[in-house]
Amino acid sequence: MRLFGFVASLGLLVKSVTAIDLVLEDEASVKSAASTIAFGLASLYTGNNTGDTPGNLPDPYFWWEAGAMFGTLIDYWALTGDDSYNAITSQGITHQGTENGDFMPRNQTRTLGNDDQGFWGMAVMSAAENNFPNPPPDQPQWLALAQSLFNQWASRWDEENCGGGLRWQIFQFNNGFNYKNSISNGCFFNVAARLARYTGNETYAMWANKIYTWQETVGLITEDHAVRDGVHVNLADHTCESTDPNQWSYNAGIFLHGAAVMYNATNASSIWRTRVDGLLASATATFFNESILFEQLCEPSGFCNNDQRSFKGYLTRWLAGTTQMAPHTFDIIHPLLLADAAAAAKACVGSPPAPAFKGHAGTACGFRWTTGGFDGSTGAGEQMNALSAVMYTLVDRVAAPVTADTGGTSKGNPMAQAHEEVGEKPITLGDRVAAGFLTTAIAMGLVAGCAFVII
Ligand SMILES: *[C@@H]1O[C@H](CO)[C@@H](O)[C@H](O)[C@H]1NC(C)=O
Ligand SMILES: *[C@@H]1O[C@H](CO)[C@@H](O)[C@H](O)[C@H]1NC(C)=O
Ligand SMILES: *[C@@H]1O[C@H](CO)[C@@H](O)[C@H](O)[C@H]1NC(C)=O
Ligand SMILES: *[C@@H]1O[C@H](CO)[C@@H](O)[C@H](O)[C@H]1NC(C)=O
Ligand SMILES: *[C@@H]1O[C@H](CO)[C@@H](O)[C@H](O)[C@H]1NC(C)=O
Ligand SMILES: *[C@@H]1O[C@H](CO)[C@@H](O)[C@H](O)[C@H]1NC(C)=O
């Protein structure tokens, strides 16, 4: 028995070191590696268990990250042809899109931000662009879901403060209502650009221009094409102040990809070419070290939070999408995708004790790609990042995203709206506490107290 145990553990050890064999540019090898990592990702999902809610990832993942996961799984299917996860993807998106087709599920209104909706919006855009199987006709369709979000965002555009822009949060009672950030405006921009290309409707292109210009005017996209995080609204004079200059990889990626889509939709206009090339140069200079992508703000210190640990995967997604829309970028981006795939696969040799990961033993992906091994950090972000790194090396082997004129079958509804803008649900004290409103209440109490003393 002892000997058996020894041999068995030795076997495991050997297996875990060679768990993911990846031969770059070998389609079968890439697909096999991607399938192993995708299985590990899907093993974290519980939304199709009896009694669980379709479309949600379990704690500690927020709602938006599930939308990001389904977007990743749609691209996984488009790149590899493996439809293993199409059923959970359709079910999850349709459930969270709600019967109103507006991605405003009441269960989420306590914390619903424009960017949270955005990751679902980009997932349904990918579904439309790749002819992901359409939902039954009595349910909201991929394109119409994206158009509903576009219309919601356009109606929330706030000219009164900082001359435009979307706020981070949708509801006034949420912390972050007075913050206008690049990711919320980036989601709006990215979806508007893709709707412009997909439908040919000029209104979407006009909005994409307007959003990009606002980002520049307010300093969130700098002259050297760095994308900064956000600006705070000054409630006294309606200007914007105290810019958060931090650069996150997903902010760079979301604008880069949207700009590439506009470049394509405008048949290579020089203004969009300048933006694409500038954003790409800035992103590669900021987020790559010796061709390996890293989340420069928090990865070296090891303090990336759960959300931030998924950002690298989105930059990877948007770099790959950029090569499709602006083919001249391929020679710059493709070598980076290859280097990252090799590095990420080496990080997928973990055997975490955590119960959530039910993928194949020895294939859990770590967060850092710079160490040549597994760094002990696991989760949906780490799995999505590595899956993206591996599978997007196939991007030049699949058809480019379609449009309504080139075979797209998803049915749209340009008039799709939100069913309820401010939520019919009365806001309870519990909601306010959950939303962080309490801190505001305390701050206001302090102000009131001071006023009393002065009087
Ligand atoms: C949930 O979906 C996954 C992936 O498709 C599948 O492997 C699993 O069996 C499903 N679970 C249930 C309870 O249906
Ligand atoms: C909202 O929560 C309830 C109770 O958990 C659940 O049954 C329902 O499916 C959820 N709705 C959505 C859209 O997530
Ligand atoms: C795009 O630009 C090229 C080169 O200027 C031109 O030949 C082509 O006709 C244009 N296509 C469209 C659809 O405008
Ligand atoms: C737009 O994208 C298509 C599909 O990838 C590509 O064939 C075409 O060359 C692109 N157009 C321009 C102007 O780069
Ligand atoms: C890039 O990687 C090298 C080698 O690992 C390291 O010495 C250097 O500090 C890294 N640079 C940044 C900006 O992290
Ligand atoms: C174009 O999009 C706008 C904005 O949603 C909409 O009002 C308009 O009806 C659309 N036009 C067509 C021809 O679909």
mmCIF file with all atom_site columns, all heavy atoms in Angstrom, residues 338-361:
data_model
loop_
_atom_site.group_PDB
_atom_site.id
_atom_site.type_symbol
_atom_site.label_atom_id
_atom_site.label_alt_id
_atom_site.label_comp_id
_atom_site.label_asym_id
_atom_site.label_entity_id
_atom_site.label_seq_id
_atom_site.pdbx_PDB_ins_code
_atom_site.Cartn_x
_atom_site.Cartn_y
_atom_site.Cartn_z
_atom_site.occupancy
_atom_site.B_iso_or_equiv
_atom_site.pdbx_formal_charge
_atom_site.auth_seq_id
_atom_site.auth_comp_id
_atom_site.auth_asym_id
_atom_site.auth_atom_id
_atom_site.pdbx_PDB_model_num
ATOM 1   N N   . LEU A 1 338 ? 1.357   35.204 -28.915 1.00 0.00 ? 338 LEU A N   1
ATOM 2   C CA  . LEU A 1 338 ? 2.076   33.922 -28.843 1.00 0.00 ? 338 LEU A CA  1
ATOM 3   C C   . LEU A 1 338 ? 2.906   33.834 -27.568 1.00 0.00 ? 338 LEU A C   1
ATOM 4   O O   . LEU A 1 338 ? 2.883   32.813 -26.861 1.00 0.00 ? 338 LEU A O   1
ATOM 5   C CB  . LEU A 1 338 ? 2.978   33.744 -30.072 1.00 0.00 ? 338 LEU A CB  1
ATOM 6   C CG  . LEU A 1 338 ? 2.278   33.563 -31.418 1.00 0.00 ? 338 LEU A CG  1
ATOM 7   C CD1 . LEU A 1 338 ? 3.299   33.483 -32.545 1.00 0.00 ? 338 LEU A CD1 1
ATOM 8   C CD2 . LEU A 1 338 ? 1.388   32.312 -31.432 1.00 0.00 ? 338 LEU A CD2 1
ATOM 9   N N   . ALA A 1 339 ? 3.616   34.897 -27.256 1.00 0.00 ? 339 ALA A N   1
ATOM 10  C CA  . ALA A 1 339 ? 4.463   34.888 -26.051 1.00 0.00 ? 339 ALA A CA  1
ATOM 11  C C   . ALA A 1 339 ? 3.609   34.704 -24.806 1.00 0.00 ? 339 ALA A C   1
ATOM 12  O O   . ALA A 1 339 ? 3.973   33.954 -23.879 1.00 0.00 ? 339 ALA A O   1
ATOM 13  C CB  . ALA A 1 339 ? 5.260   36.189 -25.967 1.00 0.00 ? 339 ALA A CB  1
ATOM 14  N N   . ASP A 1 340 ? 2.458   35.369 -24.782 1.00 0.00 ? 340 ASP A N   1
ATOM 15  C CA  . ASP A 1 340 ? 1.585   35.256 -23.615 1.00 0.00 ? 340 ASP A CA  1
ATOM 16  C C   . ASP A 1 340 ? 0.967   33.877 -23.487 1.00 0.00 ? 340 ASP A C   1
ATOM 17  O O   . ASP A 1 340 ? 0.798   33.362 -22.380 1.00 0.00 ? 340 ASP A O   1
ATOM 18  C CB  . ASP A 1 340 ? 0.474   36.304 -23.685 1.00 0.00 ? 340 ASP A CB  1
ATOM 19  C CG  . ASP A 1 340 ? 0.970   37.640 -23.179 1.00 0.00 ? 340 ASP A CG  1
ATOM 20  O OD1 . ASP A 1 340 ? 1.907   37.639 -22.366 1.00 0.00 ? 340 ASP A OD1 1
ATOM 21  O OD2 . ASP A 1 340 ? 0.434   38.657 -23.603 1.00 0.00 ? 340 ASP A OD2 1
ATOM 22  N N   . ALA A 1 341 ? 0.630   33.284 -24.610 1.00 0.00 ? 341 ALA A N   1
ATOM 23  C CA  . ALA A 1 341 ? 0.050   31.942 -24.561 1.00 0.00 ? 341 ALA A CA  1
ATOM 24  C C   . ALA A 1 341 ? 1.044   30.968 -23.948 1.00 0.00 ? 341 ALA A C   1
ATOM 25  O O   . ALA A 1 341 ? 0.707   30.169 -23.062 1.00 0.00 ? 341 ALA A O   1
ATOM 26  C CB  . ALA A 1 341 ? -0.353  31.488 -25.963 1.00 0.00 ? 341 ALA A CB  1
ATOM 27  N N   . ALA A 1 342 ? 2.277   31.037 -24.386 1.00 0.00 ? 342 ALA A N   1
ATOM 28  C CA  . ALA A 1 342 ? 3.305   30.139 -23.859 1.00 0.00 ? 342 ALA A CA  1
ATOM 29  C C   . ALA A 1 342 ? 3.496   30.375 -22.364 1.00 0.00 ? 342 ALA A C   1
ATOM 30  O O   . ALA A 1 342 ? 3.554   29.420 -21.567 1.00 0.00 ? 342 ALA A O   1
ATOM 31  C CB  . ALA A 1 342 ? 4.617   30.351 -24.605 1.00 0.00 ? 342 ALA A CB  1
ATOM 32  N N   . ALA A 1 343 ? 3.564   31.643 -21.971 1.00 0.00 ? 343 ALA A N   1
ATOM 33  C CA  . ALA A 1 343 ? 3.806   31.970 -20.557 1.00 0.00 ? 343 ALA A CA  1
ATOM 34  C C   . ALA A 1 343 ? 2.613   31.576 -19.690 1.00 0.00 ? 343 ALA A C   1
ATOM 35  O O   . ALA A 1 343 ? 2.781   31.042 -18.585 1.00 0.00 ? 343 ALA A O   1
ATOM 36  C CB  . ALA A 1 343 ? 4.099   33.457 -20.421 1.00 0.00 ? 343 ALA A CB  1
ATOM 37  N N   . ALA A 1 344 ? 1.408   31.843 -20.203 1.00 0.00 ? 344 ALA A N   1
ATOM 38  C CA  . ALA A 1 344 ? 0.211   31.543 -19.412 1.00 0.00 ? 344 ALA A CA  1
ATOM 39  C C   . ALA A 1 344 ? 0.045   30.039 -19.233 1.00 0.00 ? 344 ALA A C   1
ATOM 40  O O   . ALA A 1 344 ? -0.318  29.565 -18.143 1.00 0.00 ? 344 ALA A O   1
ATOM 41  C CB  . ALA A 1 344 ? -1.027  32.137 -20.084 1.00 0.00 ? 344 ALA A CB  1
ATOM 42  N N   . ALA A 1 345 ? 0.319   29.269 -20.272 1.00 0.00 ? 345 ALA A N   1
ATOM 43  C CA  . ALA A 1 345 ? 0.162   27.809 -20.161 1.00 0.00 ? 345 ALA A CA  1
ATOM 44  C C   . ALA A 1 345 ? 1.087   27.254 -19.087 1.00 0.00 ? 345 ALA A C   1
ATOM 45  O O   . ALA A 1 345 ? 0.729   26.335 -18.344 1.00 0.00 ? 345 ALA A O   1
ATOM 46  C CB  . ALA A 1 345 ? 0.428   27.146 -21.509 1.00 0.00 ? 345 ALA A CB  1
ATOM 47  N N   . LYS A 1 346 ? 2.268   27.846 -18.961 1.00 0.00 ? 346 LYS A N   1
ATOM 48  C CA  . LYS A 1 346 ? 3.206   27.395 -17.920 1.00 0.00 ? 346 LYS A CA  1
ATOM 49  C C   . LYS A 1 346 ? 2.690   27.687 -16.518 1.00 0.00 ? 346 LYS A C   1
ATOM 50  O O   . LYS A 1 346 ? 3.122   27.058 -15.545 1.00 0.00 ? 346 LYS A O   1
ATOM 51  C CB  . LYS A 1 346 ? 4.563   28.071 -18.115 1.00 0.00 ? 346 LYS A CB  1
ATOM 52  C CG  . LYS A 1 346 ? 5.352   27.485 -19.258 1.00 0.00 ? 346 LYS A CG  1
ATOM 53  C CD  . LYS A 1 346 ? 6.797   27.992 -19.249 1.00 0.00 ? 346 LYS A CD  1
ATOM 54  C CE  . LYS A 1 346 ? 7.479   27.628 -20.556 1.00 0.00 ? 346 LYS A CE  1
ATOM 55  N NZ  . LYS A 1 346 ? 8.115   28.785 -21.207 1.00 0.00 ? 346 LYS A NZ  1
ATOM 56  N N   . ALA A 1 347 ? 1.782   28.674 -16.428 1.00 0.00 ? 347 ALA A N   1
ATOM 57  C CA  . ALA A 1 347 ? 1.227   29.012 -15.109 1.00 0.00 ? 347 ALA A CA  1
ATOM 58  C C   . ALA A 1 347 ? 0.040   28.120 -14.751 1.00 0.00 ? 347 ALA A C   1
ATOM 59  O O   . ALA A 1 347 ? -0.478  28.181 -13.632 1.00 0.00 ? 347 ALA A O   1
ATOM 60  C CB  . ALA A 1 347 ? 0.803   30.482 -15.094 1.00 0.00 ? 347 ALA A CB  1
ATOM 61  N N   . CYS A 1 348 ? -0.411  27.286 -15.683 1.00 0.00 ? 348 CYS A N   1
ATOM 62  C CA  . CYS A 1 348 ? -1.601  26.449 -15.457 1.00 0.00 ? 348 CYS A CA  1
ATOM 63  C C   . CYS A 1 348 ? -1.222  25.050 -14.987 1.00 0.00 ? 348 CYS A C   1
ATOM 64  O O   . CYS A 1 348 ? -1.550  24.048 -15.628 1.00 0.00 ? 348 CYS A O   1
ATOM 65  C CB  . CYS A 1 348 ? -2.451  26.381 -16.713 1.00 0.00 ? 348 CYS A CB  1
ATOM 66  S SG  . CYS A 1 348 ? -3.173  27.952 -17.192 1.00 0.00 ? 348 CYS A SG  1
ATOM 67  N N   . VAL A 1 349 ? -0.501  24.984 -13.891 1.00 0.00 ? 349 VAL A N   1
ATOM 68  C CA  . VAL A 1 349 ? -0.068  23.692 -13.363 1.00 0.00 ? 349 VAL A CA  1
ATOM 69  C C   . VAL A 1 349 ? -0.421  23.573 -11.887 1.00 0.00 ? 349 VAL A C   1
ATOM 70  O O   . VAL A 1 349 ? 0.186   22.802 -11.152 1.00 0.00 ? 349 VAL A O   1
ATOM 71  C CB  . VAL A 1 349 ? 1.449   23.478 -13.569 1.00 0.00 ? 349 VAL A CB  1
ATOM 72  C CG1 . VAL A 1 349 ? 1.758   23.327 -15.047 1.00 0.00 ? 349 VAL A CG1 1
ATOM 73  C CG2 . VAL A 1 349 ? 2.262   24.627 -12.974 1.00 0.00 ? 349 VAL A CG2 1
ATOM 74  N N   . GLY A 1 350 ? -1.415  24.333 -11.455 1.00 0.00 ? 350 GLY A N   1
ATOM 75  C CA  . GLY A 1 350 ? -1.724  24.370 -10.023 1.00 0.00 ? 350 GLY A CA  1
ATOM 76  C C   . GLY A 1 350 ? -2.688  23.288 -9.579  1.00 0.00 ? 350 GLY A C   1
ATOM 77  O O   . GLY A 1 350 ? -3.491  22.779 -10.356 1.00 0.00 ? 350 GLY A O   1
ATOM 78  N N   . SER A 1 351 ? -2.580  22.947 -8.316  1.00 0.00 ? 351 SER A N   1
ATOM 79  C CA  . SER A 1 351 ? -3.545  22.039 -7.678  1.00 0.00 ? 351 SER A CA  1
ATOM 80  C C   . SER A 1 351 ? -4.032  22.714 -6.411  1.00 0.00 ? 351 SER A C   1
ATOM 81  O O   . SER A 1 351 ? -3.564  22.414 -5.332  1.00 0.00 ? 351 SER A O   1
ATOM 82  C CB  . SER A 1 351 ? -2.884  20.710 -7.318  1.00 0.00 ? 351 SER A CB  1
ATOM 83  O OG  . SER A 1 351 ? -2.435  20.067 -8.476  1.00 0.00 ? 351 SER A OG  1
ATOM 84  N N   . PRO A 1 352 ? -4.944  23.661 -6.565  1.00 0.00 ? 352 PRO A N   1
ATOM 85  C CA  . PRO A 1 352 ? -5.345  24.445 -5.396  1.00 0.00 ? 352 PRO A CA  1
ATOM 86  C C   . PRO A 1 352 ? -6.182  23.604 -4.444  1.00 0.00 ? 352 PRO A C   1
ATOM 87  O O   . PRO A 1 352 ? -6.957  22.749 -4.880  1.00 0.00 ? 352 PRO A O   1
ATOM 88  C CB  . PRO A 1 352 ? -6.180  25.568 -5.993  1.00 0.00 ? 352 PRO A CB  1
ATOM 89  C CG  . PRO A 1 352 ? -6.709  25.021 -7.263  1.00 0.00 ? 352 PRO A CG  1
ATOM 90  C CD  . PRO A 1 352 ? -5.686  24.049 -7.770  1.00 0.00 ? 352 PRO A CD  1
ATOM 91  N N   . PRO A 1 353 ? -6.037  23.840 -3.150  1.00 0.00 ? 353 PRO A N   1
ATOM 92  C CA  . PRO A 1 353 ? -6.862  23.138 -2.187  1.00 0.00 ? 353 PRO A CA  1
ATOM 93  C C   . PRO A 1 353 ? -8.305  23.666 -2.198  1.00 0.00 ? 353 PRO A C   1
ATOM 94  O O   . PRO A 1 353 ? -9.213  23.001 -1.739  1.00 0.00 ? 353 PRO A O   1
ATOM 95  C CB  . PRO A 1 353 ? -6.183  23.438 -0.850  1.00 0.00 ? 353 PRO A CB  1
ATOM 96  C CG  . PRO A 1 353 ? -5.430  24.704 -1.077  1.00 0.00 ? 353 PRO A CG  1
ATOM 97  C CD  . PRO A 1 353 ? -5.095  24.765 -2.532  1.00 0.00 ? 353 PRO A CD  1
ATOM 98  N N   . ALA A 1 354 ? -8.493  24.867 -2.770  1.00 0.00 ? 354 ALA A N   1
ATOM 99  C CA  . ALA A 1 354 ? -9.820  25.486 -2.744  1.00 0.00 ? 354 ALA A CA  1
ATOM 100 C C   . ALA A 1 354 ? -10.859 24.543 -3.355  1.00 0.00 ? 354 ALA A C   1
ATOM 101 O O   . ALA A 1 354 ? -10.598 23.920 -4.378  1.00 0.00 ? 354 ALA A O   1
ATOM 102 C CB  . ALA A 1 354 ? -9.788  26.788 -3.517  1.00 0.00 ? 354 ALA A CB  1
ATOM 103 N N   . PRO A 1 355 ? -12.035 24.452 -2.741  1.00 0.00 ? 355 PRO A N   1
ATOM 104 C CA  . PRO A 1 355 ? -13.034 23.519 -3.235  1.00 0.00 ? 355 PRO A CA  1
ATOM 105 C C   . PRO A 1 355 ? -13.665 23.946 -4.562  1.00 0.00 ? 355 PRO A C   1
ATOM 106 O O   . PRO A 1 355 ? -14.184 23.113 -5.286  1.00 0.00 ? 355 PRO A O   1
ATOM 107 C CB  . PRO A 1 355 ? -14.091 23.510 -2.126  1.00 0.00 ? 355 PRO A CB  1
ATOM 108 C CG  . PRO A 1 355 ? -13.913 24.789 -1.401  1.00 0.00 ? 355 PRO A CG  1
ATOM 109 C CD  . PRO A 1 355 ? -12.478 25.166 -1.541  1.00 0.00 ? 355 PRO A CD  1
ATOM 110 N N   . ALA A 1 356 ? -13.594 25.227 -4.888  1.00 0.00 ? 356 ALA A N   1
ATOM 111 C CA  . ALA A 1 356 ? -14.326 25.696 -6.064  1.00 0.00 ? 356 ALA A CA  1
ATOM 112 C C   . ALA A 1 356 ? -13.766 25.116 -7.360  1.00 0.00 ? 356 ALA A C   1
ATOM 113 O O   . ALA A 1 356 ? -14.510 24.774 -8.269  1.00 0.00 ? 356 ALA A O   1
ATOM 114 C CB  . ALA A 1 356 ? -14.295 27.211 -6.127  1.00 0.00 ? 356 ALA A CB  1
ATOM 115 N N   . PHE A 1 357 ? -12.451 24.994 -7.457  1.00 0.00 ? 357 PHE A N   1
ATOM 116 C CA  . PHE A 1 357 ? -11.859 24.539 -8.707  1.00 0.00 ? 357 PHE A CA  1
ATOM 117 C C   . PHE A 1 357 ? -12.052 23.042 -8.860  1.00 0.00 ? 357 PHE A C   1
ATOM 118 O O   . PHE A 1 357 ? -11.518 22.254 -8.097  1.00 0.00 ? 357 PHE A O   1
ATOM 119 C CB  . PHE A 1 357 ? -10.369 24.881 -8.753  1.00 0.00 ? 357 PHE A CB  1
ATOM 120 C CG  . PHE A 1 357 ? -9.714  24.524 -10.063 1.00 0.00 ? 357 PHE A CG  1
ATOM 121 C CD1 . PHE A 1 357 ? -9.790  25.388 -11.151 1.00 0.00 ? 357 PHE A CD1 1
ATOM 122 C CD2 . PHE A 1 357 ? -9.053  23.322 -10.226 1.00 0.00 ? 357 PHE A CD2 1
ATOM 123 C CE1 . PHE A 1 357 ? -9.197  25.063 -12.362 1.00 0.00 ? 357 PHE A CE1 1
ATOM 124 C CE2 . PHE A 1 357 ? -8.460  22.986 -11.437 1.00 0.00 ? 357 PHE A CE2 1
ATOM 125 C CZ  . PHE A 1 357 ? -8.538  23.863 -12.500 1.00 0.00 ? 357 PHE A CZ  1
ATOM 126 N N   . LYS A 1 358 ? -12.854 22.655 -9.853  1.00 0.00 ? 358 LYS A N   1
ATOM 127 C CA  . LYS A 1 358 ? -13.106 21.236 -10.073 1.00 0.00 ? 358 LYS A CA  1
ATOM 128 C C   . LYS A 1 358 ? -12.603 20.815 -11.449 1.00 0.00 ? 358 LYS A C   1
ATOM 129 O O   . LYS A 1 358 ? -13.067 19.851 -12.027 1.00 0.00 ? 358 LYS A O   1
ATOM 130 C CB  . LYS A 1 358 ? -14.593 20.930 -9.936  1.00 0.00 ? 358 LYS A CB  1
ATOM 131 C CG  . LYS A 1 358 ? -15.149 21.223 -8.551  1.00 0.00 ? 358 LYS A CG  1
ATOM 132 C CD  . LYS A 1 358 ? -16.560 20.654 -8.415  1.00 0.00 ? 358 LYS A CD  1
ATOM 133 C CE  . LYS A 1 358 ? -17.388 21.417 -7.397  1.00 0.00 ? 358 LYS A CE  1
ATOM 134 N NZ  . LYS A 1 358 ? -17.864 22.735 -7.917  1.00 0.00 ? 358 LYS A NZ  1
ATOM 135 N N   . GLY A 1 359 ? -11.654 21.587 -11.974 1.00 0.00 ? 359 GLY A N   1
ATOM 136 C CA  . GLY A 1 359 ? -11.044 21.222 -13.248 1.00 0.00 ? 359 GLY A CA  1
ATOM 137 C C   . GLY A 1 359 ? -10.117 20.033 -13.065 1.00 0.00 ? 359 GLY A C   1
ATOM 138 O O   . GLY A 1 359 ? -10.030 19.458 -11.976 1.00 0.00 ? 359 GLY A O   1
ATOM 139 N N   . HIS A 1 360 ? -9.406  19.670 -14.133 1.00 0.00 ? 360 HIS A N   1
ATOM 140 C CA  . HIS A 1 360 ? -8.491  18.533 -14.042 1.00 0.00 ? 360 HIS A CA  1
ATOM 141 C C   . HIS A 1 360 ? -7.350  18.841 -13.082 1.00 0.00 ? 360 HIS A C   1
ATOM 142 O O   . HIS A 1 360 ? -6.847  19.973 -13.060 1.00 0.00 ? 360 HIS A O   1
ATOM 143 C CB  . HIS A 1 360 ? -7.947  18.194 -15.429 1.00 0.00 ? 360 HIS A CB  1
ATOM 144 C CG  . HIS A 1 360 ? -9.026  17.888 -16.428 1.00 0.00 ? 360 HIS A CG  1
ATOM 145 N ND1 . HIS A 1 360 ? -9.908  16.841 -16.267 1.00 0.00 ? 360 HIS A ND1 1
ATOM 146 C CD2 . HIS A 1 360 ? -9.394  18.514 -17.574 1.00 0.00 ? 360 HIS A CD2 1
ATOM 147 C CE1 . HIS A 1 360 ? -10.757 16.829 -17.281 1.00 0.00 ? 360 HIS A CE1 1
ATOM 148 N NE2 . HIS A 1 360 ? -10.474 17.840 -18.081 1.00 0.00 ? 360 HIS A NE2 1
ATOM 149 N N   . ALA A 1 361 ? -6.959  17.831 -12.310 1.00 0.00 ? 361 ALA A N   1
ATOM 150 C CA  . ALA A 1 361 ? -5.900  18.025 -11.316 1.00 0.00 ? 361 ALA A CA  1
ATOM 151 C C   . ALA A 1 361 ? -4.650  18.573 -11.992 1.00 0.00 ? 361 ALA A C   1
ATOM 152 O O   . ALA A 1 361 ? -4.280  18.144 -13.090 1.00 0.00 ? 361 ALA A O   1
ATOM 153 C CB  . ALA A 1 361 ? -5.593  16.703 -10.632 1.00 0.00 ? 361 ALA A CB  1
#
